Amino acid sequence: YGETTYYARWISTTMLSITFYDVAADGTQTEVTSATVSGIEPETTGTATAPAAEELTGHDGYTLRGWFTTATPDEGAEGVMPGATVTIENMTEDAVYYAVWDANSYTVKFDANYEVDGTPAGVVDTRTMKMGEAFADLPTANRDGYTLAGWYTGDDDTKLIAEGDAFTEAADTTYYAKWHADGASIVLDY
């Protein structure tokens, strides 16, 4: 019998990950979940499930558009839908996905907040605003003998809104006028 020589054959194995990050309105990124993928190069296939919107918190007034490979995808870019399975064939590096949120739109009304002969003066302006959008061109309103002091979230001076403030109510909202009586003068005729 002759001698037989055996040689070791080394195969490269990989330990990669598929990670999902939630992105807050201020740009802060928080890891939501990560799946470890191991395999033999170059045939490593990774799978992970994209988190659903219900698994994420702090996004009142926003809808999860999907998970993207960049935190600021181009308009029309296709992402991974929440709850869908991500499959990446021939992985050679870690994969990262970012949550992209779209601001919801709401109906915003401005109520004059006074009555004339028992009849409400009514709404002076109605507009559609997106969550986080800045107020611009606040409506004006007129009332005999009064000056408009501002628009408030309630008819009890709850919170004053001003030009440039962000809309943060996450619901259809009515703002109410607050009025200050004009100074009166008395003329005496002798």
Side-chain angles (χ1 to χ4, degrees), residues 13-19 34-39 41 44-46 88 90-95:
T13 60
T14 58
M15 291 295 285
L16 300 171
S17 65
I18 301 174
T19 306
S34 183
T36 301
V37 178
S38 61
E41 285 185 11
T44 302
T45 299
I88 304 172
N90 301 321
M91 280 184 76
T92 58
E93 62 186 14
D94 293 334

Side-chain angles (χ1 to χ4, degrees), residues 7-11:
Y7 296 94
R9 179 172 176 230
W10 297 95
I11 298 173

Side-chain angles (χ1 to χ4, degrees), residues 23-48:
V23 181
D26 67 1
T28 304
Q29 298 175 3
T30 305
E31 184 177 319
V32 178
T33 187
S34 183
T36 301
V37 178
S38 61
I40 300 172
E41 285 185 11
E43 300 159 0
T44 302
T45 299
T47 59

